[in-house]
Amino acid sequence: MELRRADEGTDTATAEDEARHRHAAEEGDTESMSVLGALLLRRGDLDGAEPYLRAATAEGDRAAANNLGVLLHQRGYAEEAAGWWRIAAVAGSAAAAHALGRHFRERGDEPAAEYWLRQSAEHGHALGAYALADLLEHRGDVGAERWLRAAAEQGHREAAYRLARLLDRRAGTPTGGGPAADVANRRGITWDTDPRMLRTSSTAPGEKPPALEAEQWYRQAAARGHRRAALHLGVILEARGELKEAGRWYLTSAKDGEPRAACALGFLLRDAGDEESAAVWWLRAAQEGDGNAANALGARHAARGEQQTAERWYRAALDAGDINGAYNLGLLCAAQGRTAQAEQWYRRAAYAGHREAANALAILLLQGGDASGAEPWFSKAAEAGSVDAAFNLGILHAGRGEERAALEWYERAAAAGHTEAALQVGIALLRDGDEREAEAHLRRAAGGGSAEGAFRLGMLLDARQPPSGPPVLGESVDEKSECEEWYERAAEQGHRRAQVRVGMLAAGRGDMAGAAKWYREAAEAGSLGGAFNLGLLLAREGRESEAQLWWTRAAHAGHGRAALRLALLAARRGELGEGERWCVRAVELGPAEVAERAARLRDALHQELTA
């Protein structure tokens, strides 16, 4: 029997077995001497074990030679231990070859280490295979994967975890992108990456995709108690929407002492609406040094108005090495009007490479009138991948009249999904006459929630429609065109011009109730066109007094047509002086055709008044 090292596990023996082996050993039985020595060594009785192991070794027992090496190593006699391991390894002991390989690696003799570890691995020794893989991976040798797999297939949990990491990196997740990367980034989880072990390969027919195989190895390692494997498995499951199982693995990992899992579990609970339980796990993670959890606690207290407590947690995050703490301290100070302190914190985070802090610092400098100081920070943030910074650079260049440079930054931000940037690109393309590309960008902007994008897309589609004639017999008057659907989307977001346009289209279909609804919403929000059109609708219904109120509001705000309508209304009532005053106002406001009609009416009223 070969004594297995502490990291391999141990067998148990009853007192009866021990007594039997002791009796046989005293009688000179080599196997019993070896077994008894191993039992005593395992128990920590080095003095008791050594005579039996030496006696068995003298009889050529290779397991005893290996275990004698273990004993001597524990006593600090490394070279003598290596000598016995060599004897056992030459005799075919895979465990001894593994121990000898580790001995040489600890002394920096990698060729000798590789030789003996390979001997051990090729004899099916899980620890030998893992140690060989570790050595090869350290050198960037792709052959490491074979031995990681060999160890993992024998149940070595660390090998299973590292094999999963290797496959994960090859698949491009979570460090290389995809849903798992998004979850990892949101949770503040970063993974170690060794680019030397990356290689590009396609999946052969019948071969499992790397991401799927990685998940299986994570699951195997996690099932054997590997807390980081359980964390990774949780991330993969959360990205797939399997939140209940993800939570179970986060919980397992967190209970085993993984603070990142405790933090991730907190976010999962918060997203489920359980803020109190989330805070418990964040607190646990933060107390174990997790900066992301400390930031989460800071944000929670800041949302409650507990600024001092929030600041304390943000500082704790910074002390834990999470630069987000400095950025959040900047946000906290800025919200309190402590601009100088906010700038200091933003600078600290920005100098450490925090792109959103660089963007925030640039905005702060710009607001303070330092455009020349702001631009380099916008550029640094944009080059680091801040979409908002790229958009802000577009605004900065547009403000200077540098349209070409502005468009380049808008296009860059739009390509990264920035809704308002897509709108600006669409507007620029419309200005240049490129309707096809403009439409594509306006659709992205509108689809991303931009009311202005939806309105302008509606206008573009509207302009392509043939003039509408009277309804064809049997045709539904309630049918809406695509342009009206976009107008409505913008109108529902409070876009006043869109509300007026939806009202006009509804009126054109004969839907006066719908038209009145949208005109009123626009008018109450301050739209002059909405107030004027609502007045027209009310006047047609015979509600002139109410119409007059809306026309008056619009005319006082500068709507020439409303002023002309008030002049006509006053003239019809015989209020000639009032009519003349509104004519003068309409002439002042225009547009030209309104001013011309108002001037003619003013002259006629003046003649009546002086007759």
Side-chain angles (χ1 to χ4, degrees):
M1 170 190 171
E2 296 179 82
L3 177 68
R4 288 183 278 182
R5 305 288 291 272
D7 54 0
E8 292 182 77
T10 59
D11 297 327
T12 59
T14 64
E16 184 178 335
D17 289 335
E18 182 178 339
R20 179 167 49 80
H21 284 303
R22 189 178 294 275
H23 177 74
E26 295 298 336
E27 294 293 324
D29 184 82
T30 301
E31 183 179 355
S32 290
M33 286 189 285
S34 179
V35 171
L36 182 58
L39 290 173
L40 295 171
L41 176 59
R42 192 175 298 128
R43 189 181 298 160
D45 183 0
L46 304 189
D47 291 334
E50 186 170 355
Y52 289 110
L53 292 175
R54 285 192 179 275
T57 299
E59 295 297 325
D61 189 290
R62 71 180 188 187
N66 175 54
N67 291 335
L68 181 57
V70 173
L71 184 148
L72 292 167
H73 190 269
Q74 290 180 14
R75 286 191 186 278
Y77 303 123
E79 294 306 321
E80 188 180 354
W84 288 113
W85 282 330
R86 183 184 294 274
I87 290 170
V90 169
S93 169
H98 164 244
L100 189 57
R102 289 183 58 179
H103 168 80
F104 282 118
R105 189 172 182 191
E106 287 167 3
R107 278 151 182 74
D109 187 350
E110 289 199 0
E114 181 180 351
Y115 174 82
W116 289 110
L117 291 175
R118 195 175 291 279
Q119 293 294 315
S120 175
E122 288 175 350
H123 279 80
H125 195 271
L127 287 177
Y130 175 73
L132 176 59
D134 185 68
L135 177 65
L136 295 174
E137 189 173 45
H138 176 72
R139 293 207 304 247
D141 189 327
V142 294
E145 181 180 347
R146 172 194 170 189
W147 296 110
L148 280 176
R149 191 179 297 277
E153 287 171 350
Q154 294 180 69
H156 194 291
R157 70 179 190 181
E158 184 66 23
Y161 170 71
R162 289 177 63 174
L163 177 59
R165 292 294 302 116
L166 190 149
L167 293 166
D168 219 358
R169 291 193 293 267
R170 184 179 303 159
T173 58
T175 52
D182 295 337
V183 171
N185 290 333
R186 287 198 307 273
R187 301 301 183 236
I189 300 169
T190 56
W191 314 121
D192 53 307
T193 303
D194 184 354
R196 296 173 303 177
M197 294 309 298
L198 298 179
R199 64 181 176 90
T200 303
S201 63
S202 57
T203 304
E207 196 175 276
K208 291 179 183 175
L212 179 60
E213 190 181 0
E215 180 184 341
Q216 292 175 345
W217 288 114
Y218 280 137
R219 194 175 290 278
Q220 178 172 309
R224 291 177 177 272
H226 196 291
R227 68 187 193 186
R228 283 178 295 159
L231 170 63
H232 281 252
L233 183 57
V235 168
I236 292 169
L237 293 166
E238 184 181 355
R240 226 171 29 225
E242 298 175 26
L243 304 184
K244 189 172 181 180
E245 189 179 358
R248 284 200 299 269
W249 286 112
Y250 284 150
L251 179 61
T252 298
S253 181
K255 285 182 174 179
D256 285 341
E258 176 54 66
R260 293 178 299 174
C263 181
L265 180 59
F267 280 114
L268 209 59
L269 290 165
R270 182 205 63 183
D271 293 347
D274 190 351
E275 287 267 353
E276 296 306 316
S277 296
V280 170
W281 286 105
W282 283 334
L283 180 60
R284 178 169 174 172
Q287 288 173 338
E288 292 178 12
D290 188 273
N292 194 39
N295 274 315
L297 287 170
R300 185 168 188 263
H301 287 289
R304 292 177 166 188
E306 300 164 356
Q307 307 300 328
Q308 288 185 333
T309 307
E311 183 170 343
R312 178 168 62 83
W313 280 114
Y314 288 149
R315 287 181 181 274
L318 187 58
D319 291 342
D322 191 331
I323 200 61
N324 277 313
Y327 173 57
N328 288 330
L329 282 165
L331 293 175
L332 192 67
C333 291
Q336 295 171 345
R338 295 155 56 194
T339 306
Q341 293 95 323
E343 182 179 341
Q344 289 174 354
W345 288 117
Y346 285 150
R347 281 189 185 278
R348 180 167 177 178
Y351 278 122
H354 195 294
R355 65 191 187 193
E356 296 309 327
N359 181 54
L361 175 59
I363 292 171
L364 204 64
L365 293 170
L366 196 60
Q367 290 171 342
D370 186 4
S372 60
E375 186 172 355
W377 285 111
F378 277 138
S379 296
K380 185 174 182 178
E383 294 297 344
S386 170
V387 181
D388 287 336
F391 177 67
N392 290 336
L393 273 172
I395 294 174
L396 197 65
H397 285 290
R400 297 174 185 161
E402 299 165 359
E403 299 297 335
R404 185 67 255 167
L407 182 57
E408 287 176 2
W409 284 110
Y410 285 146
E411 286 176 335
R412 185 165 174 173
H418 196 287
T419 297
E420 290 305 311
L423 170 62
Q424 293 303 320
V425 174
I427 291 171
L429 291 168
L430 275 178
R431 191 168 56 241
D432 294 341
D434 188 349
E435 283 195 6
R436 187 177 63 82
E437 282 299 315
E439 180 183 343
H441 280 87
L442 291 176
R443 285 188 183 277
R444 280 199 287 272
S450 168
E452 183 68 20
F455 174 67
R456 287 181 179 266
L457 177 59
M459 288 179 63
L460 181 63
L461 298 173
D462 204 356
R464 295 174 182 168
Q465 292 194 144
S468 57
V472 177
L473 185 63
E475 182 181 36
S476 171
V477 295
D478 294 327
E479 186 177 345
K480 296 178 183 177
S481 62
E482 186 187 2
C483 71
E484 186 171 357
E485 290 173 356
W486 286 113
Y487 282 141
E488 280 195 4
R489 184 179 295 196
E492 286 163 357
Q493 294 178 68
H495 194 288
R496 292 179 298 181
R497 292 174 66 194
Q499 289 169 339
V500 173
R501 188 64 186 139
V502 173
M504 292 172 67
L505 291 170
R509 291 197 310 273
D511 180 8
M512 296 307 168
K517 167 187 176 292
W518 287 113
Y519 287 152
R520 190 175 296 278
E521 280 199 29
E524 289 174 348
S527 167
L528 306 187
F532 175 70
N533 287 354
L534 180 58
L536 289 177
L537 211 61
L538 292 167
R540 286 175 192 152
E541 294 174 358
R543 297 157 64 183
E544 280 195 346
S545 296
E546 192 177 348
Q548 183 179 359
L549 290 174
W550 287 107
W551 284 336
T552 301
R553 180 186 290 191
H556 280 310
H559 198 284
R561 294 183 191 279
L564 179 58
R565 283 285 172 174
L566 288 168
L568 291 167
L569 188 61
R572 192 165 62 249
R573 290 174 176 173
E575 300 168 356
L576 304 184
E578 178 75 4
E580 186 178 14
R581 283 193 296 276
W582 281 117
C583 281
V584 171
R585 180 67 172 153
V587 170
E588 293 172 352
L589 295 173
E593 69 273 15
V594 170
E596 184 180 340
R597 288 182 61 196
R600 288 200 303 269
L601 180 59
R602 178 197 60 197
D603 293 343
L605 291 174
H606 182 71
Q607 287 177 6
E608 287 287 328
L609 286 168
T610 57

